mmCIF file of all heavy atoms in Angstrom:
data_model
loop_
_atom_site.group_PDB
_atom_site.id
_atom_site.type_symbol
_atom_site.label_atom_id
_atom_site.label_comp_id
_atom_site.label_asym_id
_atom_site.label_seq_id
_atom_site.Cartn_x
_atom_site.Cartn_y
_atom_site.Cartn_z
ATOM 1 N N MET A 144 0.895 -1.284 -0.013
ATOM 2 C CA MET A 144 -0.018 0.032 -0.017
ATOM 3 C C MET A 144 0.886 1.199 0.002
ATOM 4 O O MET A 144 1.785 1.421 0.821
ATOM 5 C CB MET A 144 -0.930 0.006 1.239
ATOM 6 C CG MET A 144 -1.979 1.044 1.212
ATOM 7 S SD MET A 144 -3.187 0.765 -0.115
ATOM 8 C CE MET A 144 -4.126 2.329 0.035
ATOM 9 N N VAL A 145 0.619 2.144 -0.960
ATOM 10 C CA VAL A 145 1.382 3.285 -1.062
ATOM 11 C C VAL A 145 0.493 4.557 -0.779
ATOM 12 O O VAL A 145 -0.606 4.633 -1.330
ATOM 13 C CB VAL A 145 1.979 3.479 -2.492
ATOM 14 C CG1 VAL A 145 2.819 4.711 -2.580
ATOM 15 C CG2 VAL A 145 2.797 2.214 -2.763
ATOM 16 N N ALA A 146 0.882 5.404 0.044
ATOM 17 C CA ALA A 146 0.178 6.615 0.390
ATOM 18 C C ALA A 146 0.526 7.764 -0.490
ATOM 19 O O ALA A 146 1.693 8.142 -0.554
ATOM 20 C CB ALA A 146 0.469 6.966 1.792
ATOM 21 N N VAL A 147 -0.436 8.322 -1.195
ATOM 22 C CA VAL A 147 -0.226 9.469 -1.995
ATOM 23 C C VAL A 147 -1.315 10.473 -1.654
ATOM 24 O O VAL A 147 -2.375 10.211 -1.130
ATOM 25 C CB VAL A 147 -0.347 9.158 -3.514
ATOM 26 C CG1 VAL A 147 0.798 8.240 -3.936
ATOM 27 C CG2 VAL A 147 -1.694 8.565 -3.805
ATOM 28 N N ASN A 148 -1.081 11.744 -2.029
ATOM 29 C CA ASN A 148 -1.916 12.806 -1.731
ATOM 30 C C ASN A 148 -3.005 12.971 -2.867
ATOM 31 O O ASN A 148 -2.685 13.409 -3.908
ATOM 32 C CB ASN A 148 -1.202 14.067 -1.635
ATOM 33 C CG ASN A 148 -2.141 15.287 -1.076
ATOM 34 O OD1 ASN A 148 -3.389 15.093 -1.053
ATOM 35 N ND2 ASN A 148 -1.576 16.361 -0.683
ATOM 36 N N PRO A 149 -4.241 12.561 -2.654
ATOM 37 C CA PRO A 149 -5.253 12.646 -3.671
ATOM 38 C C PRO A 149 -5.613 14.019 -4.134
ATOM 39 O O PRO A 149 -6.240 14.315 -5.124
ATOM 40 C CB PRO A 149 -6.425 11.896 -3.118
ATOM 41 C CG PRO A 149 -6.275 11.896 -1.696
ATOM 42 C CD PRO A 149 -4.831 12.005 -1.366
ATOM 43 N N GLN A 150 -5.279 15.007 -3.173
ATOM 44 C CA GLN A 150 -5.694 16.398 -3.441
ATOM 45 C C GLN A 150 -4.967 16.938 -4.643
ATOM 46 O O GLN A 150 -5.509 17.624 -5.525
ATOM 47 C CB GLN A 150 -5.379 17.262 -2.224
ATOM 48 C CG GLN A 150 -6.110 18.573 -2.256
ATOM 49 C CD GLN A 150 -7.585 18.358 -1.818
ATOM 50 O OE1 GLN A 150 -7.911 17.540 -0.953
ATOM 51 N NE2 GLN A 150 -8.456 19.022 -2.532
ATOM 52 N N CYS A 151 -3.632 16.592 -4.817
ATOM 53 C CA CYS A 151 -2.877 16.982 -5.915
ATOM 54 C C CYS A 151 -3.226 16.204 -7.286
ATOM 55 O O CYS A 151 -3.296 16.784 -8.376
ATOM 56 C CB CYS A 151 -1.406 16.849 -5.644
ATOM 57 S SG CYS A 151 -0.826 17.829 -4.269
ATOM 58 N N THR A 152 -3.426 14.889 -7.096
ATOM 59 C CA THR A 152 -3.661 14.034 -8.194
ATOM 60 C C THR A 152 -4.931 14.408 -8.976
ATOM 61 O O THR A 152 -4.994 14.226 -10.135
ATOM 62 C CB THR A 152 -3.681 12.571 -7.917
ATOM 63 O OG1 THR A 152 -4.670 12.357 -6.894
ATOM 64 C CG2 THR A 152 -2.334 12.103 -7.338
ATOM 65 N N SER A 153 -5.859 14.934 -8.240
ATOM 66 C CA SER A 153 -7.126 15.261 -8.759
ATOM 67 C C SER A 153 -7.145 16.457 -9.723
ATOM 68 O O SER A 153 -8.058 16.810 -10.461
ATOM 69 C CB SER A 153 -8.252 15.381 -7.775
ATOM 70 O OG SER A 153 -8.061 16.480 -6.882
ATOM 71 N N GLN A 154 -6.042 17.278 -9.534
ATOM 72 C CA GLN A 154 -5.936 18.580 -10.317
ATOM 73 C C GLN A 154 -4.860 18.460 -11.401
ATOM 74 O O GLN A 154 -4.576 19.389 -12.105
ATOM 75 C CB GLN A 154 -5.620 19.679 -9.383
ATOM 76 C CG GLN A 154 -6.720 19.883 -8.265
ATOM 77 C CD GLN A 154 -6.435 21.091 -7.392
ATOM 78 O OE1 GLN A 154 -5.358 21.655 -7.523
ATOM 79 N NE2 GLN A 154 -7.308 21.303 -6.510
ATOM 80 N N LYS A 155 -4.143 17.360 -11.316
ATOM 81 C CA LYS A 155 -2.951 17.117 -12.286
ATOM 82 C C LYS A 155 -3.369 16.439 -13.660
ATOM 83 O O LYS A 155 -3.937 15.405 -13.559
ATOM 84 C CB LYS A 155 -1.831 16.465 -11.600
ATOM 85 C CG LYS A 155 -0.606 16.332 -12.356
ATOM 86 C CD LYS A 155 0.452 15.522 -11.672
ATOM 87 C CE LYS A 155 1.694 15.296 -12.492
ATOM 88 N NZ LYS A 155 2.679 14.416 -11.898
ATOM 89 N N CYS A 156 -2.940 16.974 -14.744
ATOM 90 C CA CYS A 156 -3.184 16.340 -16.031
ATOM 91 C C CYS A 156 -2.287 15.223 -16.212
ATOM 92 O O CYS A 156 -1.007 15.300 -15.935
ATOM 93 C CB CYS A 156 -2.909 17.365 -17.085
ATOM 94 S SG CYS A 156 -3.044 16.685 -18.736
ATOM 95 N N ASN A 157 -2.868 14.012 -16.483
ATOM 96 C CA ASN A 157 -2.121 12.726 -16.491
ATOM 97 C C ASN A 157 -1.334 12.828 -17.933
ATOM 98 O O ASN A 157 -0.400 11.947 -18.097
ATOM 99 C CB ASN A 157 -3.082 11.580 -16.568
ATOM 100 C CG ASN A 157 -2.344 10.282 -16.620
ATOM 101 O OD1 ASN A 157 -2.442 9.578 -17.605
ATOM 102 N ND2 ASN A 157 -1.577 9.961 -15.633
ATOM 103 N N VAL A 158 -1.695 13.612 -18.849
ATOM 104 C CA VAL A 158 -0.995 13.633 -20.181
ATOM 105 C C VAL A 158 0.253 14.510 -20.149
ATOM 106 O O VAL A 158 1.296 14.141 -20.576
ATOM 107 C CB VAL A 158 -1.959 14.065 -21.252
ATOM 108 C CG1 VAL A 158 -1.255 14.239 -22.664
ATOM 109 C CG2 VAL A 158 -3.061 13.007 -21.465
ATOM 110 N N CYS A 159 0.075 15.814 -19.753
ATOM 111 C CA CYS A 159 1.201 16.744 -19.839
ATOM 112 C C CYS A 159 1.819 17.120 -18.460
ATOM 113 O O CYS A 159 2.781 17.700 -18.334
ATOM 114 C CB CYS A 159 0.787 18.062 -20.559
ATOM 115 S SG CYS A 159 -0.329 19.042 -19.565
ATOM 116 N N GLY A 160 1.090 16.739 -17.361
ATOM 117 C CA GLY A 160 1.585 16.877 -15.980
ATOM 118 C C GLY A 160 1.227 18.280 -15.450
ATOM 119 O O GLY A 160 1.655 18.620 -14.316
ATOM 120 N N HIS A 161 0.542 19.084 -16.240
ATOM 121 C CA HIS A 161 0.149 20.468 -15.783
ATOM 122 C C HIS A 161 -0.881 20.237 -14.542
ATOM 123 O O HIS A 161 -1.829 19.543 -14.648
ATOM 124 C CB HIS A 161 -0.544 21.271 -16.892
ATOM 125 C CG HIS A 161 -0.850 22.626 -16.398
ATOM 126 N ND1 HIS A 161 0.086 23.615 -16.259
ATOM 127 C CD2 HIS A 161 -2.131 23.203 -16.192
ATOM 128 C CE1 HIS A 161 -0.655 24.746 -15.933
ATOM 129 N NE2 HIS A 161 -1.980 24.494 -15.932
ATOM 130 N N SER A 162 -0.522 21.054 -13.494
ATOM 131 C CA SER A 162 -1.442 20.971 -12.352
ATOM 132 C C SER A 162 -1.982 22.260 -12.009
ATOM 133 O O SER A 162 -1.292 23.308 -11.788
ATOM 134 C CB SER A 162 -0.596 20.438 -11.053
ATOM 135 O OG SER A 162 -1.462 20.262 -9.991
ATOM 136 N N ALA A 163 -3.382 22.406 -12.002
ATOM 137 C CA ALA A 163 -4.030 23.609 -11.627
ATOM 138 C C ALA A 163 -5.437 23.284 -11.251
ATOM 139 O O ALA A 163 -6.105 22.321 -11.773
ATOM 140 C CB ALA A 163 -4.096 24.557 -12.810
ATOM 141 N N LYS A 164 -6.038 24.133 -10.276
ATOM 142 C CA LYS A 164 -7.359 23.860 -9.800
ATOM 143 C C LYS A 164 -8.400 24.066 -10.946
ATOM 144 O O LYS A 164 -9.402 23.570 -10.989
ATOM 145 C CB LYS A 164 -7.624 24.597 -8.518
ATOM 146 C CG LYS A 164 -7.731 26.117 -8.773
ATOM 147 C CD LYS A 164 -8.133 26.722 -7.427
ATOM 148 C CE LYS A 164 -8.495 28.214 -7.565
ATOM 149 N NZ LYS A 164 -7.400 29.053 -8.068
ATOM 150 N N GLU A 165 -7.960 24.900 -11.963
ATOM 151 C CA GLU A 165 -8.816 25.241 -13.089
ATOM 152 C C GLU A 165 -9.022 24.026 -13.985
ATOM 153 O O GLU A 165 -9.859 23.972 -14.857
ATOM 154 C CB GLU A 165 -8.207 26.446 -13.970
ATOM 155 C CG GLU A 165 -8.312 27.805 -13.205
ATOM 156 C CD GLU A 165 -7.220 27.945 -12.127
ATOM 157 O OE1 GLU A 165 -6.238 27.076 -12.174
ATOM 158 O OE2 GLU A 165 -7.389 28.854 -11.347
ATOM 159 N N ASN A 166 -8.097 22.985 -13.774
ATOM 160 C CA ASN A 166 -8.324 21.760 -14.632
ATOM 161 C C ASN A 166 -9.603 20.949 -14.245
ATOM 162 O O ASN A 166 -10.051 20.232 -15.064
ATOM 163 C CB ASN A 166 -7.101 20.823 -14.383
ATOM 164 C CG ASN A 166 -5.825 21.289 -15.123
ATOM 165 O OD1 ASN A 166 -5.923 22.241 -15.883
ATOM 166 N ND2 ASN A 166 -4.716 20.658 -14.779
ATOM 167 N N ARG A 167 -10.035 21.279 -13.086
ATOM 168 C CA ARG A 167 -11.275 20.611 -12.703
ATOM 169 C C ARG A 167 -12.495 21.460 -13.031
ATOM 170 O O ARG A 167 -12.809 22.407 -12.355
ATOM 171 C CB ARG A 167 -11.308 20.337 -11.131
ATOM 172 C CG ARG A 167 -10.372 19.197 -10.744
ATOM 173 C CD ARG A 167 -10.833 17.900 -11.225
ATOM 174 N NE ARG A 167 -11.957 17.455 -10.551
ATOM 175 C CZ ARG A 167 -12.003 16.795 -9.425
ATOM 176 N NH1 ARG A 167 -10.941 16.476 -8.782
ATOM 177 N NH2 ARG A 167 -13.142 16.310 -8.926
ATOM 178 N N LYS A 168 -13.118 21.126 -14.119
ATOM 179 C CA LYS A 168 -14.404 21.812 -14.548
ATOM 180 C C LYS A 168 -15.494 21.739 -13.583
ATOM 181 O O LYS A 168 -16.120 22.701 -13.312
ATOM 182 C CB LYS A 168 -14.677 21.378 -16.021
ATOM 183 C CG LYS A 168 -13.666 21.765 -17.062
ATOM 184 C CD LYS A 168 -13.572 23.273 -17.186
ATOM 185 C CE LYS A 168 -12.578 23.693 -18.290
ATOM 186 N NZ LYS A 168 -12.312 25.071 -18.295
ATOM 187 N N THR A 169 -15.704 20.461 -13.268
ATOM 188 C CA THR A 169 -16.735 20.131 -12.258
ATOM 189 C C THR A 169 -16.144 19.042 -11.383
ATOM 190 O O THR A 169 -15.046 18.610 -11.587
ATOM 191 C CB THR A 169 -17.944 19.639 -12.865
ATOM 192 O OG1 THR A 169 -17.721 18.292 -13.502
ATOM 193 C CG2 THR A 169 -18.543 20.586 -14.001
ATOM 194 N N GLN A 170 -16.934 18.596 -10.390
ATOM 195 C CA GLN A 170 -16.458 17.573 -9.491
ATOM 196 C C GLN A 170 -16.182 16.286 -10.279
ATOM 197 O O GLN A 170 -15.262 15.563 -10.040
ATOM 198 C CB GLN A 170 -17.512 17.206 -8.421
ATOM 199 C CG GLN A 170 -17.147 16.282 -7.367
ATOM 200 C CD GLN A 170 -15.889 16.901 -6.524
ATOM 201 O OE1 GLN A 170 -15.823 18.043 -6.347
ATOM 202 N NE2 GLN A 170 -15.156 16.007 -6.064
ATOM 203 N N ALA A 171 -16.927 16.139 -11.402
ATOM 204 C CA ALA A 171 -16.818 14.842 -12.198
ATOM 205 C C ALA A 171 -15.939 14.931 -13.403
ATOM 206 O O ALA A 171 -15.366 13.971 -13.887
ATOM 207 C CB ALA A 171 -18.207 14.370 -12.607
ATOM 208 N N GLU A 172 -15.727 16.194 -13.844
ATOM 209 C CA GLU A 172 -15.011 16.273 -15.139
ATOM 210 C C GLU A 172 -13.623 16.968 -14.946
ATOM 211 O O GLU A 172 -13.504 17.829 -14.215
ATOM 212 C CB GLU A 172 -15.807 17.260 -16.131
ATOM 213 C CG GLU A 172 -17.109 16.636 -16.676
ATOM 214 C CD GLU A 172 -17.777 17.577 -17.619
ATOM 215 O OE1 GLU A 172 -17.482 17.588 -18.802
ATOM 216 O OE2 GLU A 172 -18.638 18.286 -17.140
ATOM 217 N N PHE A 173 -12.732 16.494 -15.747
ATOM 218 C CA PHE A 173 -11.364 17.028 -15.838
ATOM 219 C C PHE A 173 -11.110 17.455 -17.285
ATOM 220 O O PHE A 173 -11.325 16.715 -18.185
ATOM 221 C CB PHE A 173 -10.309 15.953 -15.447
ATOM 222 C CG PHE A 173 -8.889 16.409 -15.437
ATOM 223 C CD1 PHE A 173 -8.341 16.870 -14.353
ATOM 224 C CD2 PHE A 173 -8.211 16.480 -16.591
ATOM 225 C CE1 PHE A 173 -6.991 17.315 -14.181
ATOM 226 C CE2 PHE A 173 -6.888 16.925 -16.574
ATOM 227 C CZ PHE A 173 -6.276 17.397 -15.411
ATOM 228 N N GLN A 174 -10.585 18.782 -17.351
ATOM 229 C CA GLN A 174 -10.095 19.222 -18.610
ATOM 230 C C GLN A 174 -8.889 20.045 -18.408
ATOM 231 O O GLN A 174 -8.935 21.141 -17.612
ATOM 232 C CB GLN A 174 -11.270 20.052 -19.341
ATOM 233 C CG GLN A 174 -10.729 20.522 -20.802
ATOM 234 C CD GLN A 174 -11.782 21.201 -21.545
ATOM 235 O OE1 GLN A 174 -12.849 21.490 -21.113
ATOM 236 N NE2 GLN A 174 -11.443 21.529 -22.819
ATOM 237 N N CYS A 175 -7.785 19.696 -18.929
ATOM 238 C CA CYS A 175 -6.469 20.390 -18.782
ATOM 239 C C CYS A 175 -6.546 21.666 -19.454
ATOM 240 O O CYS A 175 -6.881 21.801 -20.606
ATOM 241 C CB CYS A 175 -5.332 19.541 -19.298
ATOM 242 S SG CYS A 175 -3.742 20.262 -19.088
ATOM 243 N N VAL A 176 -6.204 22.750 -18.751
ATOM 244 C CA VAL A 176 -6.149 24.178 -19.311
ATOM 245 C C VAL A 176 -4.859 24.320 -20.135
ATOM 246 O O VAL A 176 -4.774 25.270 -20.931
ATOM 247 C CB VAL A 176 -6.208 25.147 -18.209
ATOM 248 C CG1 VAL A 176 -7.576 25.180 -17.523
ATOM 249 C CG2 VAL A 176 -5.099 25.113 -17.225
ATOM 250 N N SER A 177 -3.921 23.411 -20.017
ATOM 251 C CA SER A 177 -2.727 23.555 -20.760
ATOM 252 C C SER A 177 -2.741 22.813 -22.056
ATOM 253 O O SER A 177 -2.369 23.427 -23.123
ATOM 254 C CB SER A 177 -1.532 23.004 -19.906
ATOM 255 O OG SER A 177 -0.332 23.072 -20.613
ATOM 256 N N CYS A 178 -3.089 21.498 -22.116
ATOM 257 C CA CYS A 178 -3.083 20.755 -23.325
ATOM 258 C C CYS A 178 -4.463 20.418 -23.819
ATOM 259 O O CYS A 178 -4.613 19.873 -24.956
ATOM 260 C CB CYS A 178 -2.273 19.473 -23.084
ATOM 261 S SG CYS A 178 -3.045 18.213 -22.169
ATOM 262 N N GLY A 179 -5.550 20.621 -23.066
ATOM 263 C CA GLY A 179 -6.826 20.354 -23.469
ATOM 264 C C GLY A 179 -7.348 19.019 -23.316
ATOM 265 O O GLY A 179 -8.396 18.502 -23.713
ATOM 266 N N HIS A 180 -6.527 18.119 -22.668
ATOM 267 C CA HIS A 180 -6.852 16.685 -22.405
ATOM 268 C C HIS A 180 -8.143 16.625 -21.466
ATOM 269 O O HIS A 180 -8.204 17.383 -20.550
ATOM 270 C CB HIS A 180 -5.730 16.023 -21.616
ATOM 271 C CG HIS A 180 -5.990 14.728 -21.101
ATOM 272 N ND1 HIS A 180 -6.402 13.602 -21.894
ATOM 273 C CD2 HIS A 180 -6.163 14.232 -19.801
ATOM 274 C CE1 HIS A 180 -6.658 12.532 -21.174
ATOM 275 N NE2 HIS A 180 -6.536 12.847 -19.867
ATOM 276 N N MET A 181 -9.121 15.879 -21.986
ATOM 277 C CA MET A 181 -10.361 15.673 -21.233
ATOM 278 C C MET A 181 -10.485 14.237 -20.674
ATOM 279 O O MET A 181 -10.109 13.282 -21.471
ATOM 280 C CB MET A 181 -11.523 15.985 -22.020
ATOM 281 C CG MET A 181 -11.607 17.513 -22.458
ATOM 282 S SD MET A 181 -13.121 17.957 -23.500
ATOM 283 C CE MET A 181 -14.383 17.727 -22.285
ATOM 284 N N ASP A 182 -11.028 14.115 -19.480
ATOM 285 C CA ASP A 182 -11.151 12.716 -18.908
ATOM 286 C C ASP A 182 -12.110 12.843 -17.703
ATOM 287 O O ASP A 182 -12.389 14.031 -17.294
ATOM 288 C CB ASP A 182 -9.761 12.273 -18.451
ATOM 289 C CG ASP A 182 -9.750 10.693 -18.280
ATOM 290 O OD1 ASP A 182 -10.885 10.042 -18.374
ATOM 291 O OD2 ASP A 182 -8.685 10.174 -18.097
ATOM 292 N N HIS A 183 -12.701 11.756 -17.407
ATOM 293 C CA HIS A 183 -13.459 11.724 -16.132
ATOM 294 C C HIS A 183 -12.494 12.050 -15.015
ATOM 295 O O HIS A 183 -11.378 11.473 -14.934
ATOM 296 C CB HIS A 183 -14.173 10.432 -15.913
ATOM 297 C CG HIS A 183 -15.159 10.402 -14.775
ATOM 298 N ND1 HIS A 183 -14.797 10.296 -13.470
ATOM 299 C CD2 HIS A 183 -16.494 10.508 -14.855
ATOM 300 C CE1 HIS A 183 -15.871 10.354 -12.731
ATOM 301 N NE2 HIS A 183 -16.889 10.422 -13.446
ATOM 302 N N ALA A 184 -12.852 12.930 -14.069
ATOM 303 C CA ALA A 184 -11.888 13.428 -13.050
ATOM 304 C C ALA A 184 -11.388 12.170 -12.195
ATOM 305 O O ALA A 184 -10.142 12.200 -11.921
ATOM 306 C CB ALA A 184 -12.629 14.393 -12.030
ATOM 307 N N ASP A 185 -12.202 11.223 -11.888
ATOM 308 C CA ASP A 185 -11.720 10.092 -11.144
ATOM 309 C C ASP A 185 -10.843 9.240 -11.918
ATOM 310 O O ASP A 185 -9.827 8.699 -11.356
ATOM 311 C CB ASP A 185 -12.956 9.290 -10.644
ATOM 312 C CG ASP A 185 -13.786 9.981 -9.565
ATOM 313 O OD1 ASP A 185 -13.256 10.898 -8.938
ATOM 314 O OD2 ASP A 185 -14.892 9.575 -9.427
ATOM 315 N N SER A 186 -11.087 9.106 -13.240
ATOM 316 C CA SER A 186 -10.213 8.315 -14.110
ATOM 317 C C SER A 186 -8.863 8.941 -14.235
ATOM 318 O O SER A 186 -7.849 8.306 -14.075
ATOM 319 C CB SER A 186 -10.936 8.177 -15.458
ATOM 320 O OG SER A 186 -10.021 7.532 -16.362
ATOM 321 N N ASN A 187 -8.824 10.252 -14.392
ATOM 322 C CA ASN A 187 -7.588 10.981 -14.539
ATOM 323 C C ASN A 187 -6.706 10.943 -13.183
ATOM 324 O O ASN A 187 -5.527 10.598 -13.300
ATOM 325 C CB ASN A 187 -7.750 12.424 -14.866
ATOM 326 C CG ASN A 187 -6.567 13.232 -15.036
ATOM 327 O OD1 ASN A 187 -5.795 13.145 -15.962
ATOM 328 N ND2 ASN A 187 -6.249 14.030 -13.921
ATOM 329 N N ALA A 188 -7.409 11.026 -12.045
ATOM 330 C CA ALA A 188 -6.774 10.975 -10.738
ATOM 331 C C ALA A 188 -6.216 9.577 -10.478
ATOM 332 O O ALA A 188 -5.119 9.425 -9.979
ATOM 333 C CB ALA A 188 -7.743 11.371 -9.688
ATOM 334 N N THR A 189 -6.968 8.573 -10.865
ATOM 335 C CA THR A 189 -6.582 7.120 -10.725
ATOM 336 C C THR A 189 -5.293 6.917 -11.559
ATOM 337 O O THR A 189 -4.297 6.248 -10.999
ATOM 338 C CB THR A 189 -7.627 6.257 -11.225
ATOM 339 O OG1 THR A 189 -8.853 6.415 -10.439
ATOM 340 C CG2 THR A 189 -7.254 4.796 -11.138
ATOM 341 N N LYS A 190 -5.158 7.382 -12.740
ATOM 342 C CA LYS A 190 -3.980 7.233 -13.524
ATOM 343 C C LYS A 190 -2.789 7.923 -12.915
ATOM 344 O O LYS A 190 -1.653 7.412 -12.950
ATOM 345 C CB LYS A 190 -4.208 7.818 -14.973
ATOM 346 C CG LYS A 190 -5.174 6.998 -15.729
ATOM 347 C CD LYS A 190 -5.576 7.686 -17.046
ATOM 348 C CE LYS A 190 -6.673 6.930 -17.773
ATOM 349 N NZ LYS A 190 -7.319 7.628 -18.840
ATOM 350 N N ASN A 191 -2.996 9.090 -12.340
ATOM 351 C CA ASN A 191 -1.930 9.898 -11.614
ATOM 352 C C ASN A 191 -1.458 9.165 -10.430
ATOM 353 O O ASN A 191 -0.236 8.959 -10.171
ATOM 354 C CB ASN A 191 -2.449 11.236 -11.164
ATOM 355 C CG ASN A 191 -2.615 12.189 -12.375
ATOM 356 O OD1 ASN A 191 -1.825 12.059 -13.323
ATOM 357 N ND2 ASN A 191 -3.355 13.164 -12.217
ATOM 358 N N ILE A 192 -2.367 8.515 -9.618
ATOM 359 C CA ILE A 192 -2.054 7.773 -8.523
ATOM 360 C C ILE A 192 -1.294 6.523 -8.880
ATOM 361 O O ILE A 192 -0.190 6.187 -8.276
ATOM 362 C CB ILE A 192 -3.354 7.403 -7.608
ATOM 363 C CG1 ILE A 192 -3.893 8.649 -7.071
ATOM 364 C CG2 ILE A 192 -2.955 6.366 -6.479
ATOM 365 C CD1 ILE A 192 -5.302 8.452 -6.454
ATOM 366 N N ARG A 193 -1.688 5.804 -9.912
ATOM 367 C CA ARG A 193 -0.951 4.701 -10.403
ATOM 368 C C ARG A 193 0.431 4.986 -10.833
ATOM 369 O O ARG A 193 1.378 4.308 -10.485
ATOM 370 C CB ARG A 193 -1.778 4.056 -11.589
ATOM 371 C CG ARG A 193 -1.084 2.779 -12.187
ATOM 372 C CD ARG A 193 -1.606 2.553 -13.663
ATOM 373 N NE ARG A 193 -1.281 3.713 -14.485
ATOM 374 C CZ ARG A 193 -1.772 3.995 -15.682
ATOM 375 N NH1 ARG A 193 -2.771 3.181 -16.159
ATOM 376 N NH2 ARG A 193 -1.325 4.966 -16.404
ATOM 377 N N ASP A 194 0.524 6.135 -11.567
ATOM 378 C CA ASP A 194 1.955 6.583 -12.000
ATOM 379 C C ASP A 194 2.772 6.890 -10.829
ATOM 380 O O ASP A 194 3.969 6.539 -10.752
ATOM 381 C CB ASP A 194 1.786 7.800 -12.920
ATOM 382 C CG ASP A 194 1.231 7.456 -14.269
ATOM 383 O OD1 ASP A 194 1.038 6.209 -14.564
ATOM 384 O OD2 ASP A 194 0.948 8.366 -15.089
ATOM 385 N N LEU A 195 2.287 7.532 -9.732
ATOM 386 C CA LEU A 195 3.038 7.931 -8.630
ATOM 387 C C LEU A 195 3.468 6.672 -7.907
ATOM 388 O O LEU A 195 4.584 6.532 -7.418
ATOM 389 C CB LEU A 195 2.109 8.738 -7.641
ATOM 390 C CG LEU A 195 2.063 10.229 -8.015
ATOM 391 C CD1 LEU A 195 0.963 10.822 -7.069
ATOM 392 C CD2 LEU A 195 3.354 10.925 -7.857
ATOM 393 N N ALA A 196 2.613 5.680 -7.799
ATOM 394 C CA ALA A 196 2.892 4.423 -7.097
ATOM 395 C C ALA A 196 3.895 3.627 -7.906
ATOM 396 O O ALA A 196 4.838 3.101 -7.252
ATOM 397 C CB ALA A 196 1.705 3.517 -6.915
ATOM 398 N N LEU A 197 3.962 3.679 -9.242
ATOM 399 C CA LEU A 197 4.941 2.963 -10.002
ATOM 400 C C LEU A 197 6.199 3.673 -9.951
ATOM 401 O O LEU A 197 7.284 2.989 -10.095
ATOM 402 C CB LEU A 197 4.401 2.898 -11.511
ATOM 403 C CG LEU A 197 3.308 1.967 -11.782
ATOM 404 C CD1 LEU A 197 2.764 2.165 -13.267
ATOM 405 C CD2 LEU A 197 3.700 0.532 -11.585
ATOM 406 N N ALA A 198 6.217 5.015 -9.726
ATOM 407 C CA ALA A 198 7.495 5.733 -9.667
ATOM 408 C C ALA A 198 8.272 5.495 -8.397
ATOM 409 O O ALA A 198 9.521 5.836 -8.281
ATOM 410 C CB ALA A 198 7.181 7.243 -9.935
ATOM 411 N N LEU A 199 7.568 5.035 -7.415
ATOM 412 C CA LEU A 199 8.255 4.840 -6.133
ATOM 413 C C LEU A 199 9.035 3.598 -6.078
ATOM 414 O O LEU A 199 8.688 2.612 -6.724
ATOM 415 C CB LEU A 199 7.154 4.761 -4.874
ATOM 416 C CG LEU A 199 6.434 6.125 -4.718
ATOM 417 C CD1 LEU A 199 5.317 5.942 -3.722
ATOM 418 C CD2 LEU A 199 7.489 7.144 -4.145
HETATM 419 ZN ZN1 ZN B 422 -2.368 18.517 -19.963
#
C-alpha cells in the first residue's frame, strides 16, 4: 500500500503533467487548461495515483 496525496492528483493532468485547480471543470469532469486533455476526473486521478505508485 502506497500513500499518495489525492488532493494533488485530482488537479494534475495525466497527459502533460500540468497541475491547476482550473483543470477541474466540475467535480466529475477534468479538462486540462494547458493541453486540452479531457477525462473523467476520477479516471484521470486514478492514472496519476498509479503513475506515482509505479515511480516509487
Ligand atoms: Zn494536460
Side-chain angles (χ1 to χ4, degrees):
M144 191 64 190
V145 179
V147 294
N148 186 349
Q150 204 70 44
C151 295
T152 56
S153 66
Q154 297 179 0
K155 182 182 176 187
C156 176
N157 183 250
V158 173
C159 74
H161 182 73
S162 184
K164 68 179 189 301
E165 289 79 12
N166 286 350
R167 288 292 293 274
K168 292 297 179 187
T169 69
Q170 188 65 29
E172 288 180 88
F173 182 95
Q174 184 175 5
C175 181
V176 295
S177 180
C178 74
H180 171 65
M181 292 182 71
D182 202 348
H183 190 280
D185 290 340
S186 175
N187 181 73
T189 298
K190 290 169 187 170
N191 284 332
I192 292 167
R193 182 201 60 197
D194 289 351
L195 283 171
L197 289 173
L199 292 172

